[in-house]
Amino acid sequence: MLDSNAVAITFDDGYLDNLEYALPVLEELEVPATIFVSTGTMGQDMELWWDELEALLLEGNEFPLYFELFDDQFSCRWDTSTLEYRKNCYMGIHHLMKSYISFEKRENWLMQLWKWRGLKRTVRKHYLTLSSRDCKELARSRMITVGAHTISHPSLAGLSRESQEFEIKASIDTIAQIVDQKITVFSYPFGNPEADFDQDTEKICRKYGIRKAASTENALWSASTDLYRIPRKVVRDWGPVEFEQKIRDYWNEQAGTG
C-alpha cells in the first residue's frame, strides 16, 4: 500500500504508439502503466472505427453534396456540402455506430462511405493499432499490465446482455491467449457510467474473472471506490507546466482545499 498521493497511468484502445512512444518513456522512468486493448483491429488492415469515420467525413477537400446511408433500420440522407454539415453527419453516424448497430453493420456503413468518397480504403500510419506480436512485446515489459477493452469498442449499455457478454468474454480470452496471462482488468469503452455500461456489464466482468474495471467518470479514486467503477482523469495534450498544475489541482480537489 502507498502512504502518499500517487497516480495510476492507463491507456485505452490499443494504439501502436503505446508501444512505439509510451513504452520507452515508461521503462526509462520506471513508471508502471496499464494498457487496455480493443482486439477487433488486431491483424486487420483497418483503423478504429471512429478514426476512420472522422477521416471519411472531415478530412480532404472534395466531397459529394450529400451522403445517403442505405440501411434496413437507419436509412438517412445528409447534406455534406459544407464542413458544418459534414460535422453534423459525423455526429449522427457516430452516435448510431457507438450504441445501436453491430460490428458487421458498422463495416457495411464504412464501406458505403468509402464508395461515396470514391476512395480506396486505406490505413493511416499514425492511427495503426497493436498487432498480437506488439501486444506480446508490451506484456513482456515489467512496467506494463495488459487489460481487455472489448472487441469492437461499442457502448456496452446499448447492447443486449448476450452481445455484451460476447464483446467482453471474447476480448478477455483473446488477450489472455496472446500474452499467456490471466486477464483481471478491463476498461469500459467510452466509459460513462449508466450511459456506456450498466449492472449487466459489471456482472459479466465479474463472471469472467475481472477484478477491476475502469470507467471515465471524472473523479479521483478513494478507499471506498467501487472496483468495477474506477474513475479516471483524462490527460490532454498538455505541456509540462500545465500538466503539473493539473495534478496539483487534482490533489487540492481531493483534499477539499479548492
Side-chain angles (χ1 to χ4, degrees), residues 84-207:
E84 288 305 311
Y85 285 143
R86 291 195 297 277
K87 286 180 179 178
N88 179 62
C89 179
Y90 169 84
M91 294 302 294
I93 295 177
H94 184 284
H95 176 69
L96 293 172
M97 285 186 167
K98 172 185 172 183
S99 303
Y100 296 104
I101 66 172
S102 66
F103 170 81
E104 291 77 16
K105 183 169 285 193
R106 189 189 293 155
E107 276 293 290
N108 176 273
W109 291 13
L110 287 169
M111 293 311 298
Q112 286 189 51
L113 282 161
W114 281 109
K115 184 177 180 180
W116 166 76
R117 284 294 305 272
L119 298 173
K120 181 181 178 181
R121 193 176 197 178
T122 57
V123 180
R124 296 165 295 172
K125 180 180 178 181
H126 295 301
Y127 293 86
L128 289 171
T129 57
L130 297 164
S131 67
S132 57
R133 180 179 297 179
D134 297 328
C135 202
K136 284 182 181 179
E137 186 174 345
L138 278 172
R140 283 195 290 266
S141 171
R142 67 187 183 89
M143 292 294 108
I144 300 298
T145 299
V146 179
H149 195 47
T150 73
I151 302 171
S152 65
H153 203 289
S155 175
L156 289 164
L159 304 181
S160 66
R161 181 176 177 119
E162 180 182 17
S163 295
Q164 286 198 49
E165 189 153 354
F166 174 74
E167 285 278 349
I168 294 168
K169 181 181 185 300
S171 68
I172 292 170
D173 290 347
T174 298
I175 296 295
Q177 184 175 19
I178 290 170
V179 304
D180 194 26
Q181 297 173 10
K182 182 175 175 61
I183 302 302
T184 60
V185 290
F186 183 86
S187 172
Y188 304 112
F190 303 105
N192 184 12
E194 311 307 334
D196 296 314
F197 64 95
D198 54 25
Q199 290 184 354
D200 280 345
T201 320
E202 295 175 36
K203 290 176 182 177
I204 294 166
C205 285
R206 288 188 178 93
K207 178 179 178 180

